[in-house]
Amino acid sequence: MKEVILVGLNHHTAPVEIRERISFPEEELDRYLKALYDLPSVAEGLILSTCNRVEIYAATKVPDKGVEEIKAFLAHQHHLSVPEFENNLYVLQGEELVSHVFRVASSLDSMVVGEPQILGQIKEAYRTAHTAKGTGTLLNKLLHKAFSVAKRVRTETSIGNGAVSVSFVAVELAKRIFANLDEKEVLIIGAGEMCELTAQHLVRGGIKKVLVANRTEKRAVELAERFHGEAIPFSELPHALLRADIVISSTGSQDVIVSKKDVSAIIKKRKNSPLFFIDIAVPRDIDPQVNTIDNVYLYDIDDLQEVAEANIKDRQHEAQRAEEIVSTEAKQFCRWYQSLEVIPTIISLKEKMEKIREKELGKTLAALPQLSEKERRALEALSEAIVKKIIHAPISLLKKESRNSEGETYVDVVQKLFGLDEE
Amino acid sequence: MNVIFFQITLLFYVCGTIAYLIYLVSFHRKVAWVGRMLLSVGFIAHCLTFFLRYIEAGHTPVINLYESLSFFAWLVVGLYLLLRFRYKVEVLGAFVSPLALLLVIWAATLPKEILSLPPILKSWWFPIHVTFAFLGYAAFTLAFCAGVVYLIQERLVKTKNIGTFLERLPSLEVLDKISYRALTIGFPLLTIGIITGAAWAEYAWGAYWSGDQKETWSLITWLLYAALLHQRLMVGWRGKKAAIMAIVGFGAVLFTFLGVNLLMEGHHTYAAWFR
């Protein structure tokens, strides 16, 4: 019977130097899949490659050989030798594998727990493998179950809720204030890295235009170019404050750059059009009193951090609940899978016994031609009864054990005892 | 017949309101959908109530308190459902539906016999005047609800109280837009309501203005909303101030609609009819 194996590495087990060397770019995935399906031991296969993980799932009749072949495959495709990365690999099978794939799909194994992209990525990986006709019953069942577990985790826990990084919190807040980011302009004061990151998220959120003001103009121009924005001289700041809807500030200045008086005057000129300040500078650039003005909202780095931390805590709490869901689902899935294994075993046990009975009965009857029809029938009934009695105990044991985790062992033992795996 | 439909309406409004309130705590999108469907079915039943009563009475059935409350609730729900097409803000339903429900429950406790139309109301001016005035009221009711939600959200953002609630309320800008839109729709409607009332008064009694309490209070209400509109358009009022003003204005609406009729004597008093 076939079994699923997993050979993979992720951000927990492998440093980025290794991860970047062993990756399967999306454009060439078809070619890689083809090479994977050419491995003699691989009956079904799937490659999941994201920036944080590379995992190869395969269904095979010979797990040990399969693992070796896949390791060699990884080495060969990326021009490495197996020992170079072998220590970074994890190899999973059985219930461990099932719960792993459920955790990955549910984003419990992600760098940022609860991030939503991974489910899409794993779905895409499955779709590609499926189109390449590389998945069969086993992987289909496993992956579909993983998708539904991920969905269950998403609806029953709030693991994906709440922004968990300062810059995402800023974007979330902007969306609470403004209806549509794509009509808004963001002004960056000071060209620090945090500013850039936050602006990046805002731009991805749809922001229309980025303005950059920096004391050294060269850096402002550089940053503005990156966002196809506009660099403005630092002296024009008051003017820019009239245009912008969101202001991100992180200068190294020791003094306040924007005072309450400035903003009061500006907001009047803006006809009270809302203004959202994100002050990520320490010491702060924007007078905290600004927040008391109507239609002006100010969040400093501590406020944002607090929100992010609260959200992280929420997520961790939710992650625990999600783990419980995953582990019960994984157990259930394995039980279901084992019960599949029991049925063929029972059938082949019955078939084998029947074959022996017929053969031996035939021999006996051939040696005793003088028996009457009645006696022949009695012999036949006798043989049937013996076989039935003998296999009754093993079959009911198999059926019973298939419902718990020991099932696999019993299937194995019965197959060996009765020599079922010989044909 | 119309009373049966009224009771069906009431039943659906009760269920719809419950669903919306559950949505307010749970924020399951499906619950809001259920709420909206229940409210919509209730609204259809309400339409039938109104239509049947119109046929049975032979005149626009807005002459006693029961009918007026029901009519008001009907317009509020109808306008909300219309607004929902434009702005996908489910939370507003959780504020509009209980309000409409309260009106309908109050109406349910009142006598429901169809009264004959007093001679004074036998005029084509009557349905026109009443409909415009009430449409104005209904629009202001929505502005009020949007204003309340705005103030809640504004408070949450300002105090940096970032619970999950904040995440689920509509953005401040949308709430302000809804309030403004409702104002710009409600104001002309109320204006027409007042003008038709005056014209009718001139036609019936020979005077545009007779100093009736209802007239005085309508004027006060109108002036309040005129001031709000002016501040919004000319001074650029937005957000919190405008929201507070919309809430104050709604207080005036309620008093003009109910306070005057119940507490004072005049042409608009229901007291004479609703016993």
Side-chain angles (χ1 to χ4, degrees), chain A residues 169-383:
Chain A
V169 170
V171 177
E172 280 304 308
L173 280 167
K175 285 185 187 158
R176 293 302 102 208
I177 295 168
F178 303 107
N180 247 334
L181 291 186
D182 41 353
E183 311 160 346
K184 307 297 174 205
E185 297 191 8
V186 57
L187 166 67
I188 300 176
I189 309 176
E193 208 172 301
M194 255 323 255
C195 264
E196 192 178 335
L197 195 63
T198 310
Q200 221 169 50
H201 285 309
L202 282 168
V203 167
R204 225 173 280 158
I207 278 286
K208 189 178 89 182
K209 182 147 201 181
V210 178
L211 308 172
V212 185
N214 194 39
R215 281 198 213 272
T216 40
E217 209 170 325
K218 187 166 157 268
R219 178 84 180 107
V221 172
E222 260 173 39
L223 194 59
E225 261 169 20
R226 201 161 315 154
F227 293 114
H228 307 288
E230 199 181 307
I232 50 170
F234 208 76
S235 53
E236 298 251 324
L237 207 55
H239 188 71
L241 281 172
L242 285 176
R243 280 177 68 181
D245 302 285
I246 301 170
V247 179
I248 310 171
S249 186
S250 79
T251 69
S253 162
Q254 289 300 309
D255 306 311
V256 163
I257 290 181
V258 181
S259 72
K260 187 183 173 187
K261 221 176 83 204
D262 296 342
V263 179
S264 289
I266 283 163
I267 203 77
K268 234 177 235 156
K269 280 195 205 149
R270 294 168 59 95
K271 295 214 152 195
N272 291 313
S273 172
L275 191 52
F276 177 30
F277 285 100
I278 303 163
D279 186 357
I280 40 190
V282 179
R284 288 179 290 189
D285 285 342
I286 293 155
D287 182 356
Q289 285 303 311
V290 158
N291 194 39
T292 58
I293 304 172
D294 266 356
N295 297 307
V296 177
Y297 307 91
L298 165 68
Y299 277 70
D300 63 34
I301 185 78
D302 283 0
D303 299 330
L304 297 173
Q305 211 111 45
E306 215 170 286
V307 177
E309 269 158 29
N311 287 340
I312 288 173
K313 241 184 219 153
D314 281 355
R315 276 197 186 188
Q316 280 165 348
H317 182 76
E318 290 302 304
Q320 267 172 11
R321 287 181 47 214
E323 294 281 4
E324 280 161 30
I325 294 176
V326 163
S327 90
T328 38
E329 289 277 3
K331 280 207 181 75
Q332 242 169 43
F333 184 82
C334 291
R335 221 170 293 154
W336 169 82
Y337 180 69
Q338 279 153 14
S339 71
L340 284 189
E341 204 169 353
V342 160
I343 294 161
T345 308
I346 292 174
I347 291 171
S348 60
L349 177 62
K350 279 183 177 165
E351 277 172 356
K352 177 146 190 184
M353 286 307 183
E354 185 60 20
K355 227 186 257 167
I356 295 172
R357 189 187 68 85
E358 274 171 11
K359 201 172 151 200
E360 297 306 315
L361 186 68
K363 270 193 214 158
T364 310
L365 290 182
L368 297 168
Q370 70 279 24
L371 289 181
S372 71
E373 188 58 26
K374 204 179 156 194
E375 286 161 327
R376 279 167 171 265
R377 238 181 273 147
L379 266 183
E380 212 161 299
L382 170 75
S383 65

Side-chain angles (χ1 to χ4, degrees), chain A residues 80-93:
Chain A
L80 296 162
S81 67
V82 175
E84 279 179 88
F85 60 89
E86 203 172 16
N87 287 336
N88 301 108
L89 290 179
Y90 44 86
V91 175
L92 299 175
Q93 248 172 292

